Amino acid sequence: MKISHRNFIDFLYRYLGTGGTFTSIAAYFARGESTVGHIVAETSKAIWETLKETDMHVPTRDQWGATAERFESLWNLPNCIGAIDGKHVRIKKFANTGSTNFNYKSYHSIVLMACCDADGIFTMIETGYAGRNSDGGIFRASAIKHWILNNRLDIPPASPLKYDNSDSPFPYYFVANEAFPLARYMMRPYPQRIFNYKLSRGRKTIECAFGMACEKFAVLNGPIRIRDPKYMNFVIKAVCVLHNYVRKREGLQYMPTDEFTGSEVDSSVVQPQPQNMTIHINSPATALRSYLANYFLTPLASLPWQWKFCL
């Protein structure tokens, strides 16, 4: 009996949504296991290639600017244009690969490297990296870093921070965890509690994006049992672009919240005072990070509750 295109979508959605095996899906639809595997692989590829231009295209300069405004209004993080992190996707060990994909969590995986905006929508993804590699090592070899360094992303030029009276130009940047390198285009934590708290408010968006994708598509909880790495990558890419598709059309948008109440101000806490600092267009990454940390201590840029949570 001929299988319709509608059946193809049903096969894929049941696989992505439940994370079931090809054997269980084949039994449910009364089809051969190899037939189900072929349908899942080809349909995932078709969905990725169809939706990537509308639901995961590289942002334009104006869109980067709009993303920075969302990070400022939602998470009080100025000039931030994305959060970057890697996720280990559990897989069944590929044949003849030894410990190539065996990660520090003691299972076989491939790594999804992703960047998202302030609302948890993926803007850039790369997948297929061996699980034994670190996030920092993967980013060092990634196309995302290559695009950033070679000005392929059309990121806006440096502009002053919103409440900075000195009007010193500050570059737009991504946020990441300690596994990633510090650079002019990337901020990572360091031993300053206020800075780390503000950075974490923006960085959690990528963790939330991964969490939402895993809740909708259980296949990411693995292990994925596809034998061909190429088609496994298409499955992961299809999940990410479908996450964007659903998030943009039916997802609940984050709203700015006022977390401050008068009881959260503790007059006994000694609050650090901002210092007089300057930067210029060629300031190194360490100077930029210190300048941003100092900016978070100024009256207009600080959050009323940050002293209670951090000190």
Side-chain angles (χ1 to χ4, degrees), residues 161 170 182 187-188 190 192 195 274-279 284-297:
L161 302 176
F170 196 93
L182 174 66
M187 293 289 115
R188 51 163 285 174
Y190 83 124
Q192 211 273 18
F195 177 85
Q275 303 174 356
N276 291 324
M277 301 180 66
T278 59
I279 55 172
T286 52
L288 292 174
R289 182 171 62 178
S290 297
Y291 189 84
L292 187 60
N294 187 69
Y295 169 79
F296 291 148
L297 301 179

Side-chain angles (χ1 to χ4, degrees), residues 2-166:
K2 186 177 180 180
I3 303 176
S4 67
H5 292 296
R6 178 63 184 174
N7 291 136
F8 277 37
I9 299 298
D10 289 341
F11 282 21
L12 181 65
Y13 278 6
R14 178 165 289 273
Y15 176 70
L16 298 183
T18 66
T21 64
F22 288 165
T23 302
S24 63
I25 296 175
Y28 182 86
F29 287 100
R31 293 291 183 270
E33 185 176 345
S34 60
T35 300
V36 172
H38 179 74
I39 290 173
V40 166
E42 292 297 330
T43 310
S44 297
K45 179 180 179 181
I47 286 178
W48 165 250
E49 293 180 344
T50 301
L51 296 180
K52 66 180 181 179
E53 296 300 329
T54 57
D55 291 281
M56 202 185 292
H57 61 85
V58 177
T60 63
R61 176 171 295 193
D62 290 341
Q63 289 171 333
W64 285 125
T67 297
E69 291 178 2
R70 282 292 284 173
F71 269 103
E72 173 73 34
S73 64
L74 288 175
W75 313 121
N76 312 104
L77 201 59
N79 285 27
C80 178
I81 55 175
I84 296 179
D85 201 1
K87 173 177 174 55
H88 286 273
V89 179
R90 187 188 293 262
I91 65 171
K92 183 178 180 180
K93 179 179 175 295
F94 296 131
N96 304 317
T97 57
S99 61
T100 299
N101 293 95
F102 195 74
N103 64 31
Y104 70 97
K105 299 181 180 181
S106 299
Y107 61 81
H108 294 273
S109 68
I110 59 175
V111 178
L112 166 64
M113 182 66 59
C115 174
C116 77
D117 65 11
D119 291 287
I121 296 174
F122 295 120
T123 53
M124 298 179 287
I125 63 169
E126 287 186 60
T127 186
Y129 293 99
R132 69 178 181 181
N133 296 311
S134 66
D135 287 348
I138 290 172
F139 179 76
R140 194 178 303 115
S142 69
I144 294 176
K145 180 181 179 181
H146 176 78
W147 294 338
I148 295 172
L149 293 180
N150 290 276
N151 300 318
R152 298 279 299 277
L153 297 181
D154 197 23
I155 295 173
S159 64
L161 302 176
K162 185 175 181 179
Y163 300 113
D164 188 2
N165 295 327
S166 69

Side-chain angles (χ1 to χ4, degrees), residues 183-223:
R184 287 176 51 84
Y185 56 82
M186 181 172 291
M187 293 289 115
R188 51 163 285 174
Y190 83 124
Q192 211 273 18
R193 291 184 178 182
I194 300 296
F195 177 85
N196 289 348
Y197 171 67
K198 298 289 285 286
L199 198 75
S200 296
R201 284 173 59 83
R203 190 170 58 82
K204 69 181 180 182
T205 57
I206 187 64
E207 301 289 352
C208 291
F210 288 144
M212 288 185 285
C214 289
E215 281 295 309
K216 289 194 289 285
F217 303 102
V219 69
L220 286 185
N221 297 322

